[in-house]
Amino acid sequence: MKFIDLATQQQRIKPLLDQRLQAVLAHGQYIMGPEIVELEDQLAKFVGVDHCISVASGTDALLIAMMALGVKAGDEVITTPFTFIATGEMIRLLGAIPVFVDIDPYTYNLDPAKLTQAITARTKAIIGVNLFGQCADYQAINAVAAQYHIPVIEDAAQSFGATHHGEQSCSLTTIGCTSFFPSKPLGCYGDGGACFTNDAALATTMRQIRVHGQSQRYQHNIIGINGRLDTMQAAVLLAKLTIFTAEVKARQQIADYYNQLLQDIAAIPTIMPENTSVYAQYTIQIEERDTLREQLKAAGIPTAVHYPKPLHLQPAFADLAIAQQHFPIAEEVAKKVISVPMHPYLKKETISTIAAKITKILAGSVSMNA
């Protein structure tokens, strides 16, 4: 059994995928080839923004976004402790200081009600993270940010294709950032990512940053990085985009079936009524997480834990004051979440098998503890 099935997807798009890749091999423009512009146009239209800037990874997207906003050493950037390391890592890479706000216990995203107390005179930006495929509450986050004139970055690495109040993920804040890592709902066959904005000046700056700060060849106006998406990956994404909407619909149907089978045995995903999710992961929450993982592994069912240790407890941040801080909801959730196989090609019979095994294991655990 596969946690994510990229092989079936590849077979579905193979003729178009081969055609796209062969076109790149034929023209030989492996860096910033014509597929880059085509992809950026299609992605911007899909999201509903004026500008898409493709980049080398979701991590680079966050870095470039913060650089474009002028985040520098000593600044503070507010985010969640319950996320992949890249979110906090890029803040530290710029010499800035991550300031964490605890999460909502149901969505696992940053809790806007706790945002104001984290803002200081040094706050340069807020990064909301859309965990497991669902957007954070950006209406509330943006409202707080607007009071203090603070830009917001949407870390949409797990939510491309999701919506919030009818608006597409990546269009919800000053800059939206996503990842095209292979396991994402829209993934390439290597690393890739993109930044999205309606701000023309920010778009120009981000385009320059991704090519060593160049405004034209060998004219370096600002300090930048080598953060380009390569043309082969753009070709893959263009092929995958043709089936992406159908895959998002399939993900919803699969999640609905999981919900039906697991709602009485585990804490299933809570999707807010104003949101749709792309279910980058299907994540449940249970007390007996580690026991369940071991027994599912023995049964040949793969699982994953995103994320077992919140960022403030990571050794990489041990030198910061946040290492001594306490974020109880993030810490508690990190002990209980577990993700099970989720992809658009998961068959009902497989879902039934997974759910039946989970139910049996958890029922047995409850009887043993009774």
Side-chain angles (χ1 to χ4, degrees), residues 219-242:
Q219 178 67 35
H220 305 271
N221 294 345
I222 55 178
I223 295 297
I225 64 171
N226 179 5
R228 302 165 298 207
L229 179 72
D230 74 67
T231 312
M232 294 291 273
Q233 300 303 342
V236 171
L237 289 166
L238 283 165
K240 288 194 176 191
L241 262 175
T242 63

Side-chain angles (χ1 to χ4, degrees), residues 6-23 189 235-236 238-243 247 345:
L6 295 178
T8 299
Q9 180 197 55
Q10 187 178 124
Q11 286 304 308
R12 180 178 179 182
I13 60 170
K14 194 171 190 311
L16 179 57
L17 183 62
D18 289 347
Q19 179 186 334
R20 282 286 187 181
L21 292 173
Q22 286 300 321
Y189 291 155
V236 171
L238 283 165
K240 288 194 176 191
L241 262 175
T242 63
I243 60 169
E247 288 190 333
Y345 305 97

Side-chain angles (χ1 to χ4, degrees), residues 186-201:
L186 179 64
C188 51
Y189 291 155
D191 277 311
C195 297
F196 298 84
T197 189
N198 283 315
D199 187 311

Side-chain angles (χ1 to χ4, degrees), residues 26-70:
H27 66 57
Q29 298 177 53
Y30 302 116
I31 303 296
M32 301 304 288
E35 286 80 3
I36 294 293
V37 174
E38 184 182 357
L39 176 67
E40 289 177 346
D41 286 346
Q42 288 198 27
L43 291 175
K45 286 185 177 70
F46 181 90
V47 169
V49 296
D50 294 336
H51 306 281
C52 169
I53 301 91
S54 61
V55 297
S57 69
T59 302
D60 277 351
L62 292 170
L63 178 63
I64 289 169
M66 284 189 282
M67 290 173 71
L69 292 172

Side-chain angles (χ1 to χ4, degrees), residues 25 41 55 72 110 123 132 203 211 223 233 248 305 319 335:
L25 293 173
D41 286 346
V55 297
K72 59 186 184 304
L110 184 151
T123 304
F132 306 147
V211 288
I223 295 297
Q233 300 303 342
V248 170
V305 173
D319 61 319
K335 298 173 185 174

Side-chain angles (χ1 to χ4, degrees), residues 65-260:
M66 284 189 282
M67 290 173 71
L69 292 172
V71 174
K72 59 186 184 304
D75 289 336
E76 293 177 353
V77 178
I78 298 172
T79 191
T80 163
F82 192 53
T83 179
F84 182 57
I85 185 70
T87 315
E89 181 183 35
M90 292 302 99
I91 297 169
R92 288 299 290 144
L93 194 65
L94 289 171
I97 301 163
V99 174
F100 293 138
V101 168
D102 211 351
I103 59 173
D104 177 273
Y106 300 104
T107 67
Y108 312 134
N109 291 329
L110 184 151
D111 186 347
K114 298 170 182 170
L115 192 51
T116 301
Q117 65 197 45
I119 294 172
T120 73
R122 294 200 295 174
T123 304
K124 189 72 173 182
I126 298 166
I127 303 178
V129 179
N130 306 340
L131 216 60
F132 306 147
Q134 174 177 207
C135 295
D137 186 354
Y138 288 104
Q139 277 204 353
I141 293 170
N142 290 341
V144 174
Q147 291 177 32
Y148 296 89
H149 307 288
I150 299 168
V152 179
I153 296 170
E154 179 191 356
D155 183 343
Q158 297 182 19
S159 65
F160 189 84
T163 62
H164 178 62
H165 290 281
E167 301 294 325
Q168 285 287 335
S169 178
C170 292
S171 74
L172 305 171
T173 63
T174 313
I175 301 173
C177 300
T178 198
S179 168
F180 300 127
F181 187 78
S183 63
K184 303 299 183 186
L186 179 64
C188 51
Y189 291 155
D191 277 311
C195 297
F196 298 84
T197 189
N198 283 315
D199 187 311
L202 281 176
T204 297
T205 300
M206 289 190 285
R207 291 188 192 282
Q208 291 181 11
I209 290 170
R210 74 169 172 184
V211 288
H212 302 283
Q214 290 184 121
S215 58
Q216 58 190 50
R217 192 167 175 80
Y218 300 132
Q219 178 67 35
H220 305 271
N221 294 345
I222 55 178
I223 295 297
I225 64 171
N226 179 5
R228 302 165 298 207
L229 179 72
D230 74 67
T231 312
M232 294 291 273
Q233 300 303 342
V236 171
L237 289 166
L238 283 165
K240 288 194 176 191
L241 262 175
T242 63
I243 60 169
F244 181 61
T245 301
E247 288 190 333
V248 170
K249 184 178 179 181
R251 284 177 175 274
Q252 181 63 63
Q253 292 169 341
I254 289 163
D256 288 344
Y257 193 47
Y258 264 132
N259 290 344
Q260 178 186 329

